[in-house]
Amino acid sequence: MTGDVGLFGPDSVTWKLHREPILMLGGLRSLYLQALHPRAVAGVAQNSGYRADPWGRLLRTSDYVGTVVYGTTDEVRQAASRLRRLHARMSATDPRTGERFRIDEPDLLRWVHVAEVESFLTTAVRAGVDLTPEEIDGYYTEQLRSAELVGLDPATVPATAAEVAAYFTAMRPELGLTRDGAEAAVFLTVPPIPGHWGGLPFRLSLTLGPARWAYFGIAGTALGLLPAWARKMYGGLGWPTTDMAAALSVRGLRALIAGVLATLPEQYRMAPLRRAAMERAGLA
């Protein structure tokens, strides 16, 4: 007997897409994209402890996405309720106008949602995940359920690839690189190494050694996967060669991750949330 598989289930495009570990890179890409919205990034800068606890915030965000995708109906509702209560208490000041605004304004929630789901999808497709045009539209349509969880009216959220493209075109005059956005981008590209992560030699190896350079490559790939217009806002180039290099890099990263996972014991090859969902669906 099949248990509670939550919002989506094994036949959904969402489950097909989110089984791909490369979506972690899509999450990083989405943060670079989100930071180009002056109000959205101001809201993060003025309310979030990401500078003090960047890795903790990243893990909490990852847990929330994983719960929405793979959690039971009750787990999803509880997680969404906590997030809405948190957002309802927050406000920020627009750096351009001085206007005070709520973090849970629909326009801001919509921007964060679209930037996130489009980044997941684009990263996966550029990495070589095989999706038909119907599946791509299907993913956007399925993710209306995620949008509704944070308080958005699904009717106001882009639900196909064409609608997402039109949304970005309409949004571009409102976007730009502010001081908050630039600081967030630098932070994402050169994140601090927590002092409690091992002794001094270990921290130095992460700060100056191969691990740091490897992360630079990952961050550079995430930036390269941005649309040409977004890269230009960051002062980069919109050349097609950048798109080609990013596509080669992300495909290589996907293959590398697959190779590493293949060497691990079975119990470590799948995230616990996904494993639990697969077991409830009778597939593991």
Side-chain angles (χ1 to χ4, degrees), residues 12-33:
S12 66
V13 185
T14 296
W15 274 32
K16 177 178 179 177
L17 194 69
H18 283 263
R19 70 188 180 192
E20 295 283 341
I22 197 64
L23 260 65
M24 292 185 293
L25 183 64
L28 181 58
R29 178 193 186 273
S30 77
L31 295 178
Y32 281 116
L33 189 55

Side-chain angles (χ1 to χ4, degrees), residues 15-252:
W15 274 32
K16 177 178 179 177
L17 194 69
H18 283 263
R19 70 188 180 192
E20 295 283 341
I22 197 64
L23 260 65
M24 292 185 293
L25 183 64
L28 181 58
R29 178 193 186 273
S30 77
L31 295 178
Y32 281 116
L33 189 55
Q34 290 170 28
L36 291 173
H37 192 300
R39 280 202 178 201
V41 73
V44 172
Q46 295 174 37
N47 286 277
S48 171
Y50 79 89
R51 289 186 177 89
D53 184 24
W55 304 104
R57 184 176 186 273
L58 182 62
L59 287 173
R60 289 189 293 273
T61 300
S62 178
D63 283 345
Y64 175 78
V65 172
T67 299
V68 169
V69 172
Y70 291 117
T72 65
T73 304
D74 188 54
E75 288 170 342
V76 171
R77 288 174 178 168
Q78 289 184 30
S81 178
R82 287 193 297 269
L83 185 65
R84 289 195 304 271
R85 288 197 303 270
L86 180 65
H87 286 167
R89 298 195 299 266
M90 295 180 178
S91 62
T93 300
D94 189 316
R96 303 161 301 176
T97 65
E99 178 187 359
R100 197 73 183 168
F101 63 91
R102 290 172 57 104
I103 295 300
D104 58 0
E105 284 185 354
D107 287 349
L108 298 184
L109 295 176
R110 187 179 304 108
W111 169 253
V112 171
H113 169 82
V114 175
E116 181 176 84
V117 297
E118 187 272 340
S119 288
F120 284 149
L121 188 54
T122 295
T123 300
V125 171
R126 299 285 294 281
V129 177
D130 187 20
L131 294 176
T132 66
E134 292 75 20
E135 286 177 316
I136 289 172
D137 283 346
Y139 178 70
Y140 283 128
T141 302
E142 288 175 4
Q143 288 304 307
L144 294 180
R145 304 167 202 171
S146 301
E148 189 171 16
L149 288 175
V150 298
L152 285 166
D153 176 357
T156 69
V157 180
T160 65
E163 290 178 4
V164 168
Y167 171 77
F168 279 147
T169 298
M171 286 296 298
R172 281 170 61 178
E174 300 182 32
L175 306 178
L177 188 61
T178 62
R179 178 175 178 176
D180 285 333
E183 290 178 351
V186 170
F187 194 87
L188 291 169
T189 307
V190 193
I193 305 301
H196 62 276
W197 281 19
L200 181 60
F202 177 71
R203 293 201 301 274
L204 284 176
S205 71
L206 288 177
T207 303
L208 303 173
R212 173 63 80 185
W213 289 108
Y215 181 80
F216 280 155
I218 292 170
T221 300
L223 280 166
L225 289 171
L226 290 172
W229 55 263
R231 297 199 304 269
K232 289 178 181 178
M233 289 183 182
Y234 275 119
L237 299 174
W239 292 349
T241 50
T242 304
D243 294 311
M244 294 169 58
L248 289 172
S249 180
V250 73
R251 283 176 177 263

Side-chain angles (χ1 to χ4, degrees), residues 20-25 250 252-263:
E20 295 283 341
I22 197 64
L23 260 65
M24 292 185 293
L25 183 64
V250 73
L253 283 170
R254 184 184 179 221
L256 176 63
I257 293 170
V260 170
L261 288 176
T263 68

